Amino acid sequence: MTDPATRTISIFGATGSVGTSTLDLIRLERDKYRVVALTANSDAEGLAKLAKEFDAQVAVIADASRYEVLNDLLAGTGTEVAAGPDKLVDAASLGADWTMAAIVGCAGLPPTLAALQCGKTVALANKEALVSAGALMMAEAQQAGAILLPVDSEHNAIFQCLQGGRIDQVRKITLTASGGPFRTWSREQMTSVTPAQAVAHPNWDMGAKISVDSATMMNKGLELIEAHHLFPVGLENIDILVHPQSVIHSMVEYHDCSTLAQLGSPDMRIPIASALAWPERMKTDCLPLDLTKIATLNFEAPDHDRFPAIKLARNAIEAGGAVPAILNAANEVAVAGFLNGDVQFLEITDIVSHIIDSYSPPNPDNLADIFEIDTKTRERVSAMIEGIKV
Ligand code: NDP
């Protein structure tokens, strides 16, 4: 029987940037946790290593062609091995006390929903799931009595600032944005951006997809949609402010004109630690903030001409229905195309905009509808990219 002092924990996307940062924190308090499920897409070697170290109950690899490798690597251990997207859902349905949803992309939606349906605590990094199916996810979380803790540094900052007042007392939420590696570049300079330049974020060390999203500023657009679902203050009351140092992670202004901000070094382990220990606080070995070294904090308005992605996202959430799911799926495929060398950097947002304008499916009612929209959007974008290539 589990020691009542230990919490059961599952990490979806364990081999990624957020997943490994989460496991770094668990190493600091190893005896407090029992690991239920760890998952990856295709990195069987990385997953097997983590499953052995943390003595995971189950290790799931989404790419079924990697099952044999994972199974061989974990032979003789107590870890059960499974493969395929359905097994991710089964693992999430085991209902760990605390689940980290850190799969990248809409592929994370089914296991995240399954974890929410267990009515436990879900720490959400997987913003694409919320962008595509925000209303559905929030309704499921509420119905199951699940606790949804935002992990994205901005949303975690807002969550922390909201401990200082009530949501109905909020006048404005300000999401800060670093501006990405091309903050000061002209459109002309951005025509020749390479994947290596786009993934080299000035402040944060992250996975490839979110790094490209930060470079186009689609990341901030996705975060705007994420904030709209998590913090119901009205879309018109959520602003975006470019703050290149990434020290203030976001702010909440109350009706009395008091503004609360959360500050910290740009290290994802800080918001993850806040979600892991919540409602307590844990000690970490992260770098404390030294404002004398930083000395200056700068702020500027986003430039919507050079970075049209934020407006695309704002329009998508205003349009509602299928549009946010189309925006997300189109962006995922366009970013993958850019990373493969098939799409130019500036074409990413052009593709998203074009698909939104040319595809109008009926409003989704359920998860199946959302997946149909997601699949059809991916097909359209892939065909469009094939057309660009020839
Ligand atoms: P990474 O690319 O570093 O890791 C992604 C993880 O998801 C890996 O474990 C990967 O497995 C797994 N994965 C990828 N595709 C699939 C799939 N189709 N099915 C199942 N598993 C899959 O991403 P990040 O850690 O950077 O980002 C994860 C999520 O967190 C994203 O939604 C991102 O927007 C969000 N986020 C990330 C931040 C960061 O600092 N990195 C900050 C804030 C939010 P494998 O290793 O086998 O490929």
Side-chain angles (χ1 to χ4, degrees):
M1 205 177 131
T2 320
D3 178 342
T6 60
R7 278 165 100 196
T8 55
I9 195 156
S10 287
I11 302 178
F12 289 78
T15 48
S17 166
V18 171
T20 51
S21 292
T22 308
L23 288 163
D24 276 349
L25 293 167
I26 292 179
R27 279 188 191 97
L28 298 176
E29 298 186 335
R30 187 67 193 87
D31 54 342
K32 279 197 179 172
Y33 301 100
R34 185 168 67 76
V35 174
V36 176
L38 296 179
T39 82
N41 185 35
S42 57
D43 182 3
E45 292 79 8
L47 180 58
K49 203 164 165 241
L50 293 172
K52 279 184 192 161
E53 179 188 348
F54 289 93
D55 192 21
Q57 183 184 324
V58 48
V60 186
I61 192 105
D63 177 350
S65 72
R66 302 285 289 150
Y67 173 80
E68 295 297 339
V69 179
L70 184 65
N71 200 35
D72 287 352
L73 289 167
L74 288 175
T77 68
T79 302
E80 185 190 324
V81 177
D86 290 351
K87 300 294 180 189
L88 290 176
V89 173
D90 291 350
S93 304
L94 293 171
D97 297 326
W98 191 94
T99 294
M100 167 56 82
I103 289 175
V104 61
C106 202
L109 175 56
T112 304
L113 261 185
L116 286 171
Q117 283 160 352
C118 294
K120 305 278 180 64
T121 301
V122 177
L124 184 77
N126 177 213
K127 65 188 84 183
E128 295 89 351
L130 202 58
V131 169
S132 293
L136 183 78
M137 270 179 66
M138 297 308 289
E140 292 282 358
Q142 196 179 13
Q143 202 183 337
I147 297 169
L148 190 57
L149 298 175
V151 167
D152 224 339
S153 59
E154 296 77 0
H155 306 75
N156 184 266
I158 295 162
F159 182 81
Q160 293 195 45
C161 294
L162 283 171
Q163 311 301 306
R166 290 196 318 263
I167 194 102
D168 62 314
Q169 297 166 330
V170 172
R171 190 164 172 268
K172 189 172 82 173
I173 284 176
T174 302
L175 285 170
T176 55
S178 70
F182 312 125
R183 181 177 60 86
T184 58
W185 290 33
S186 66
R187 291 280 289 179
E188 200 189 355
Q189 284 173 302
M190 283 188 262
T191 52
S192 55
V193 163
T194 64
Q197 288 173 312
V199 298
H201 195 279
N203 305 338
W204 298 94
D205 182 12
M206 308 182 286
K209 193 259 176 185
I210 184 175
S211 298
V212 176
D213 284 345
S214 297
T216 60
M217 293 200 72
M218 182 60 87
N219 185 46
K220 216 45 58 180
L222 301 178
E223 288 179 6
L224 179 70
I225 300 177
E226 192 184 2
H228 168 75
H229 289 297
L230 291 170
F231 311 114
V233 296
L235 191 60
E236 66 286 3
N237 298 318
I238 308 177
D239 272 359
I240 291 171
L241 181 67
V242 176
H243 162 44
Q245 291 87 2
S246 300
V247 166
I248 298 179
H249 297 304
S250 278
M251 299 180 254
V252 173
E253 183 182 328
Y254 287 93
H255 286 323
D256 60 4
C257 291
S258 278
T259 297
L260 301 194
Q262 188 265 343
L263 286 71
S265 304
D267 180 340
M268 274 308 289
R269 290 176 304 158
I270 298 174
I272 296 170
S274 145
L276 183 60
W278 186 86
E280 302 297 327
R281 295 270 180 187
M282 67 181 283
K283 284 186 185 160
T284 71
D285 53 5
C286 299
L287 205 63
L289 193 60
D290 184 346
L291 286 173
T292 57
K293 277 202 186 123
I294 296 160
T296 309
L297 298 181
N298 299 95
F299 304 96
E300 56 198 60
D303 182 333
H304 295 294
D305 293 330
R306 286 184 302 127
F307 297 100
I310 296 173
K311 279 223 165 119
L312 279 177
R314 198 176 277 277
N315 293 343
I317 196 71
E318 274 167 357
V323 185
I326 296 172
L327 172 125
N328 179 67
N331 183 59
E332 282 191 37
V333 182
V335 170
F338 169 68
L339 288 169
N340 286 338
D342 295 333
V343 168
Q344 301 287 312
F345 182 72
L346 290 178
E347 286 172 341
I348 298 172
T349 42
D350 290 348
I351 289 172
V352 175
S353 173
H354 176 81
I355 296 293
I356 289 174
D357 290 344
S358 61
Y359 178 40
S360 316
N363 290 348
D365 274 339
N366 50 42
L367 192 59
D369 291 349
I370 288 165
F371 272 112
E372 188 174 330
I373 292 162
D374 182 88
T375 305
K376 293 217 164 118
T377 303
R378 284 168 199 270
E379 287 166 6
R380 282 166 180 254
V381 179
S382 299
M384 198 176 158
I385 293 174
E386 279 305 310
I388 294 172
K389 271 163 54 180
V390 291

